[in-house]
Amino acid sequence: MAGRLLLTAAVFLHRTVAGRVARERWQLRRNAALRAANRRGVPVAELAARLRLSEGWVRQVLNGRKPAEPPVIEEAA
């Protein structure tokens, strides 16, 4: 249960970051929540699916590496 709650927190943080400094700070928190959720039994596939990121990207975060952030897709006006 704690892992699922941490995953929800990671998803929230992932989707609500804004501004360079604030974004970096939130991403550090998001990555910490991802690692904590994984330690509590949430599989990599579920972490990646909920965050809409690749499993490889999530594995890099879990291994302590700093992967490049996925590109932001802007909507057409």
Side-chain angles (χ1 to χ4, degrees):
M1 184 63 189
R4 303 269 185 240
L5 183 59
L6 288 165
L7 174 56
T8 300
V11 170
F12 172 77
L13 295 173
H14 173 70
R15 294 183 182 161
T16 59
V17 295
R20 189 179 63 81
V21 174
R23 190 179 87 224
E24 290 173 7
R25 188 171 49 244
W26 282 111
Q27 286 172 351
L28 290 173
R29 291 176 184 160
R30 176 201 61 200
N31 293 347
L34 270 175
R35 287 188 287 275
N38 182 255
R39 282 192 305 267
R40 286 167 178 78
V42 180
V44 171
E46 185 174 352
L47 295 171
R50 289 285 304 270
L51 289 169
R52 298 180 190 143
L53 298 169
S54 71
E55 288 185 27
W57 189 95
V58 172
R59 281 190 188 96
Q60 284 184 335
V61 169
L62 294 177
N63 290 327
R65 296 188 194 108
K66 184 175 179 181
E69 287 298 315
V72 177
I73 301 173
E74 296 184 20
E75 295 182 25

